[in-house]
Amino acid sequence: MIAKGIFQPRPHEGLKIGERVVAVAVPAVPGPHVAGTWQEYLVADKRRLLPVPDHLSDSSACQLAVNPLTALLLVSRELDVQPGEWLLQTAAGSTVGRLVIQLARHLGIRTINVVRRRDAVEEIKALGGDEVICTEDEDLSQRVAEIAGSAGVRKAIDCVAGHVGARVSQALAPGGEVVVYGALSTHRQTDPAALTIPLLARSVIYETKAVRGFWLNRWFGTASPADALRALSEVRSLVADEVLSIPQGKPFPLERFTEAISFAEAPAHGAKPLFVFEDGRDEDDR
């Protein structure tokens, strides 16, 4: 998105010409068609335009309604994780995973973070992750049991799916719940086995474990405008107060959109491509 940042509009005050805003141009499902932001000019519903505080960079502001909002909704809305509880998450080194760690630390939630490579363990611990499990050389279920003890873990978020998602479900205590928000294991896969989450029937029936999905676009389509604005305002405050740190985007002029797409598809690039125009770049991006 080329639009900027988000915060709660001041009551009874309208937008001013020249004011810096973000266009919440998220394609909500279900919902009306919304024009995208790969363009220099945009006609937008003023109810979808929200002012941006001056100290928030363009790069941070334009990402508010995606990864930081996803992290907040997963932790505080979808699972309602309470202070002191354990939260198990896969792909802890991803952008959302890192934001979840930061948010959990702020809220007093303990995290068990799953990574694929041993060299990622210390990095996640340094970020604030309480425990880290490396699937390269550790058994996920065994390590969760060792960490959480007899009480176990009842809440988890997963963006890998496939057999990793299934192992997360198996590792949970009875009555546990997994919210799946991504399927990294299925990326460019054609093998049907990679496109499923194999669950044990007894876990679903006798242990009443649940696996359900979350898609941000559907949330935007079903949440009320007030709820959406409330969540976005909370995200804006968390980022503005530096509770959540968003990686700076890598700027691309719109004419180089093919390069931007290739950059977004490349693994482990550590930043999001950010479309900019000559008169709209952050000073740090020049």
Side-chain angles (χ1 to χ4, degrees):
M1 295 176 65
I2 58 173
K4 315 305 184 190
I6 295 172
F7 74 98
Q8 177 73 46
R10 296 175 294 274
H12 309 301
E13 291 188 23
L15 297 170
K16 301 177 179 65
I17 294 177
E19 191 168 8
R20 188 163 159 259
V21 298
V22 62
V24 188
V26 179
V29 179
H33 173 74
V34 177
T37 54
W38 292 27
Q39 50 197 334
E40 293 181 77
Y41 299 96
L42 174 69
V43 177
D45 184 340
K46 67 179 182 180
R47 293 171 298 180
R48 288 179 173 269
L49 297 178
L50 298 168
V52 178
D54 292 338
H55 64 279
L56 203 61
S57 72
D58 287 359
S59 178
S60 293
C62 73
Q63 297 182 67
L64 289 177
V66 188
N67 289 328
L69 179 60
T70 297
L72 176 69
L73 293 174
L74 288 170
V75 173
S76 65
R77 309 295 202 277
E78 295 295 312
L79 285 172
D80 189 25
V81 189
Q82 297 298 306
E85 280 192 289
W86 283 109
L87 174 65
L88 173 64
Q89 72 158 338
T90 61
S94 67
T95 300
V96 171
R98 292 166 181 269
L99 289 165
V100 166
I101 292 171
Q102 296 170 33
L103 179 62
R105 191 174 185 181
H106 175 68
L107 298 175
I109 296 165
R110 298 181 292 176
T111 58
I112 302 176
N113 304 278
V114 180
V115 297
R116 290 182 301 164
R117 304 183 317 278
R118 174 55 53 184
D119 58 8
V121 172
E122 290 306 316
E123 182 181 359
I124 296 302
K125 286 185 176 179
L127 186 63
D130 294 285
E131 299 285 348
V132 185
I133 300 173
C134 176
T135 55
E136 183 178 72
D137 52 21
E138 293 181 291
D139 180 271
L140 196 154
S141 295
Q142 180 180 338
R143 287 288 292 120
V144 169
E146 292 171 354
I147 293 167
S150 58
V153 177
R154 295 175 57 87
K155 297 176 180 179
I157 54 178
D158 171 49
C159 74
V160 179
H163 289 282
V164 172
R167 289 200 292 272
V168 169
S169 175
Q170 293 166 16
L172 293 180
E177 182 176 16
V178 185
V179 176
V180 182
Y181 69 98
L184 294 176
S185 65
T186 70
H187 185 58
R188 293 176 180 163
Q189 287 280 351
T190 56
D191 179 5
L195 306 176
T196 61
I197 303 178
L199 300 175
L200 298 175
R202 65 172 179 268
S203 292
V204 177
I205 300 170
Y206 304 122
E207 297 180 324
T208 61
K209 295 181 183 179
V211 177
R212 61 185 177 85
F214 172 82
W215 188 31
L216 185 62
N217 296 55
R218 183 163 292 277
W219 179 84
F220 269 111
T222 56
S224 71
D227 286 343
L229 188 59
R230 191 177 302 114
L232 289 168
S233 298
E234 188 173 348
V235 167
R236 192 235 21 121
S237 296
L238 290 167
V239 174
D241 293 343
E242 300 183 346
V243 172
L244 298 181
S245 176
I246 308 174
Q248 289 296 296
K250 180 176 176 60
F252 288 88
L254 195 57
E255 294 79 9
R256 291 168 51 199
F257 70 92
T258 56
E259 292 179 51
I261 293 172
S262 297
F263 180 80
E265 288 288 312
H269 47 67
K272 301 296 183 184
L274 174 66
F275 286 127
V276 296
F277 298 94
E278 189 59 37
D279 61 349
R281 299 187 188 184
D282 283 355
E283 289 298 321
D284 292 340
D285 292 335
R286 297 190 182 201

